[in-house]
Amino acid sequence: MINTDILAIGSGPAGCTAAIYGVRSGYKTIVLCGASHGGQLVKTNDMENFPGFVDPISGYEVMDRIHKQCSRLGVEFMQETAVKIETGARPFTLHCASGLQIAARAVIISVGACASRLGIESEKRFMGKGVSTCATCDGFFYKNKTACVIGGGNRAVEEAVFLTKFCKKVYLIHRRETFRAHKVSVDKARAIANLEFVLSSAVESINGDESGVKSITVRNINTKVLRDIETDGVFVAVGTRPQTDFLKDSGVELTSGGYIVVNEKTHTNIKGIFAAGDCTNSMYNQAVIAAGSGAKAAMEAVSFLNEDC
Ligand code: NAP
């Protein structure tokens, strides 16, 4: 059993910022990294909306800098995945997949959200064999090839633009005419010669054989006409879902969509347990907001610990 004052579960912008505030308040602070060290931000390419960086910077570099900052301040990182938390008594006991247990006086849940799927059978069949949820991770395999990106949010537009840098041709397939993505990003994308927008189109199937993906079939939502697009790869960028399965029987209140219910001070329904970042809402999944809410959660955790002494 390892003991800590503050345990931040999740190593994205929310968990790391919480840890910075926790450790600088004089409390022993551990960050649990889980499977996706650095969170979703490491998959983001050119960020130009994170304050403090004059030129675009990759999400990977931002997280790398934040991790180094945490380490310099004395935050401990542990490569462990949370599978269960006991909330009936304090300190809380966190169980990790490895069998390790951590006793924490205050917990900040900052597990983020992971990539959603289209939910069609052929997506499952070709996942990892031509279908991917991360262009930053897998885009390299499509050099001089054709790729399709599905979605109309910031991630889809960003991934499509990223892929145009080395793919011969990229299709951005979106089920509506208008985008959730920032207008400035969409306008920039529209100007790229090897990027074609396929709008008002829903994916019917991803087609291929044992060697991988060969094409995608989309249906125009207005005309109902089917179109086959030859492609070597499909990148699914249709939003995110919270990674809160391990909280199911913990007593921590979740919404029907699995997001953690918090008040405006980041408090969950259990005293001493706070939550921050993308696992608490589905509207403002921005790194800067996750970082801000992490800071807020840590300040609340510190007040709680100060009173708890
Ligand atoms: P998002 O903003 O939620 O967009 C998801 C997109 O996928 C929407 O366009 C949605 O279509 C579409 N979609 C959802 N389910 C679908 C389905 N079954 N079939 C086809 N299309 C489907 O998600 P995101 O782009 O992953 O971004 C997540 C969050 O991170 C957002 O808040 C985003 O702003 C943020 N983010 C920010 C940056 C940045 O600021 N640089 C970069 C990346 C992500 P509809 O529009 O029709 O619902």
Side-chain angles (χ1 to χ4, degrees), residues 21 26 58-59 62 76 138 162 182 189 206 231 235 238 269 273 275:
Y21 278 70
S58 73
V62 171
E76 286 179 42
D138 300 327
F162 173 71
H182 300 141
I206 297 165
T231 189
F235 291 87
V238 295
N269 60 316
I273 301 188

Short mmCIF file of all heavy atoms in Angstrom, two decimals, residues 21 26 58-59 62 76 138 162 182 189 206 231 235 238 269 273 275:
data_model
loop_
_atom_site.label_atom_id
_atom_site.label_comp_id
_atom_site.label_asym_id
_atom_site.label_seq_id
_atom_site.Cartn_x
_atom_site.Cartn_y
_atom_site.Cartn_z
N TYR A 21 -0.50 22.30 -8.59
CA TYR A 21 -1.06 23.10 -7.48
C TYR A 21 -0.98 22.32 -6.17
O TYR A 21 -0.71 22.91 -5.11
CB TYR A 21 -2.52 23.50 -7.79
CG TYR A 21 -2.60 24.73 -8.67
CD1 TYR A 21 -2.22 24.68 -10.01
CD2 TYR A 21 -3.03 25.94 -8.15
CE1 TYR A 21 -2.28 25.80 -10.81
CE2 TYR A 21 -3.09 27.08 -8.95
CZ TYR A 21 -2.72 26.99 -10.28
OH TYR A 21 -2.77 28.12 -11.07
N GLY A 26 2.48 21.96 -0.72
CA GLY A 26 3.19 21.20 0.32
C GLY A 26 2.63 19.82 0.56
O GLY A 26 3.04 19.15 1.52
N SER A 58 2.76 21.35 -30.83
CA SER A 58 2.02 20.08 -30.80
C SER A 58 1.56 19.79 -29.38
O SER A 58 2.20 20.19 -28.40
CB SER A 58 2.90 18.94 -31.31
OG SER A 58 3.87 18.62 -30.34
N GLY A 59 0.43 19.09 -29.29
CA GLY A 59 -0.10 18.70 -27.98
C GLY A 59 0.91 17.83 -27.24
O GLY A 59 1.04 17.92 -26.01
N VAL A 62 3.39 20.11 -25.58
CA VAL A 62 2.81 20.80 -24.41
C VAL A 62 2.80 19.84 -23.22
O VAL A 62 3.24 20.18 -22.12
CB VAL A 62 1.37 21.29 -24.72
CG1 VAL A 62 0.69 21.79 -23.46
CG2 VAL A 62 1.40 22.41 -25.75
N GLU A 76 4.97 12.85 -8.22
CA GLU A 76 5.36 11.47 -8.56
C GLU A 76 4.38 10.93 -9.59
O GLU A 76 3.17 11.01 -9.39
CB GLU A 76 5.28 10.57 -7.32
CG GLU A 76 6.40 10.79 -6.33
CD GLU A 76 6.24 9.87 -5.12
OE1 GLU A 76 5.90 8.69 -5.29
OE2 GLU A 76 6.43 10.40 -4.01
N ASP A 138 -1.05 7.17 -36.50
CA ASP A 138 -1.02 6.21 -37.61
C ASP A 138 -0.92 6.85 -38.99
O ASP A 138 -0.79 6.14 -39.99
CB ASP A 138 -2.30 5.35 -37.56
CG ASP A 138 -2.42 4.58 -36.26
OD1 ASP A 138 -1.37 4.20 -35.71
OD2 ASP A 138 -3.54 4.39 -35.77
N PHE A 162 -3.78 17.59 -41.20
CA PHE A 162 -2.51 16.93 -40.91
C PHE A 162 -2.18 15.88 -41.99
O PHE A 162 -1.08 15.83 -42.51
CB PHE A 162 -2.62 16.27 -39.52
CG PHE A 162 -1.46 15.42 -39.14
CD1 PHE A 162 -0.23 15.97 -38.81
CD2 PHE A 162 -1.59 14.03 -39.07
CE1 PHE A 162 0.84 15.17 -38.44
CE2 PHE A 162 -0.52 13.23 -38.70
CZ PHE A 162 0.69 13.80 -38.38
N HIS A 182 -13.92 24.98 -35.24
CA HIS A 182 -13.77 26.43 -35.34
C HIS A 182 -13.77 26.86 -36.80
O HIS A 182 -13.14 26.22 -37.65
CB HIS A 182 -12.46 26.88 -34.68
CG HIS A 182 -12.38 26.51 -33.23
ND1 HIS A 182 -11.21 26.06 -32.64
CD2 HIS A 182 -13.31 26.51 -32.26
CE1 HIS A 182 -11.45 25.82 -31.36
NE2 HIS A 182 -12.71 26.08 -31.11
N ALA A 189 -8.91 24.68 -44.02
CA ALA A 189 -8.98 23.34 -44.61
C ALA A 189 -9.57 23.39 -46.02
O ALA A 189 -9.10 22.70 -46.93
CB ALA A 189 -9.81 22.42 -43.71
N ILE A 206 -17.40 0.27 -44.31
CA ILE A 206 -15.98 0.36 -44.66
C ILE A 206 -15.68 -0.99 -45.31
O ILE A 206 -16.02 -2.05 -44.75
CB ILE A 206 -15.12 0.60 -43.40
CG1 ILE A 206 -15.51 1.95 -42.78
CG2 ILE A 206 -13.63 0.56 -43.75
CD1 ILE A 206 -15.01 2.17 -41.37
N THR A 231 -10.24 4.22 -50.79
CA THR A 231 -9.34 4.76 -49.76
C THR A 231 -8.50 3.65 -49.14
O THR A 231 -8.92 2.49 -49.12
CB THR A 231 -10.14 5.50 -48.67
OG1 THR A 231 -9.24 6.18 -47.80
CG2 THR A 231 -11.00 4.57 -47.83
N PHE A 235 -9.97 7.38 -40.78
CA PHE A 235 -9.71 7.93 -39.45
C PHE A 235 -11.03 8.40 -38.86
O PHE A 235 -11.69 9.28 -39.42
CB PHE A 235 -8.68 9.06 -39.53
CG PHE A 235 -7.31 8.55 -39.89
CD1 PHE A 235 -6.92 8.39 -41.21
CD2 PHE A 235 -6.42 8.17 -38.89
CE1 PHE A 235 -5.68 7.88 -41.54
CE2 PHE A 235 -5.17 7.65 -39.21
CZ PHE A 235 -4.80 7.51 -40.54
N VAL A 238 -15.04 11.20 -34.27
CA VAL A 238 -16.45 11.57 -34.03
C VAL A 238 -16.73 11.85 -32.56
O VAL A 238 -17.80 11.54 -32.05
CB VAL A 238 -17.41 10.49 -34.58
CG1 VAL A 238 -17.33 10.40 -36.09
CG2 VAL A 238 -17.16 9.13 -33.94
N ASN A 269 -20.11 14.17 -5.39
CA ASN A 269 -21.04 13.94 -4.27
C ASN A 269 -20.34 13.34 -3.06
O ASN A 269 -20.94 13.23 -1.99
CB ASN A 269 -22.19 13.03 -4.71
CG ASN A 269 -21.71 11.67 -5.18
OD1 ASN A 269 -20.73 11.60 -5.92
ND2 ASN A 269 -22.35 10.61 -4.76
N ILE A 273 -13.46 13.88 -2.69
CA ILE A 273 -13.24 13.44 -4.07
C ILE A 273 -13.70 14.55 -5.02
O ILE A 273 -14.85 15.01 -4.94
CB ILE A 273 -13.94 12.12 -4.41
CG1 ILE A 273 -13.45 11.02 -3.45
CG2 ILE A 273 -13.71 11.73 -5.86
CD1 ILE A 273 -13.90 9.63 -3.79
N ALA A 275 -13.35 16.26 -9.19
CA ALA A 275 -13.15 15.82 -10.58
C ALA A 275 -12.94 17.04 -11.47
O ALA A 275 -13.48 18.12 -11.20
CB ALA A 275 -14.33 14.99 -11.05
#
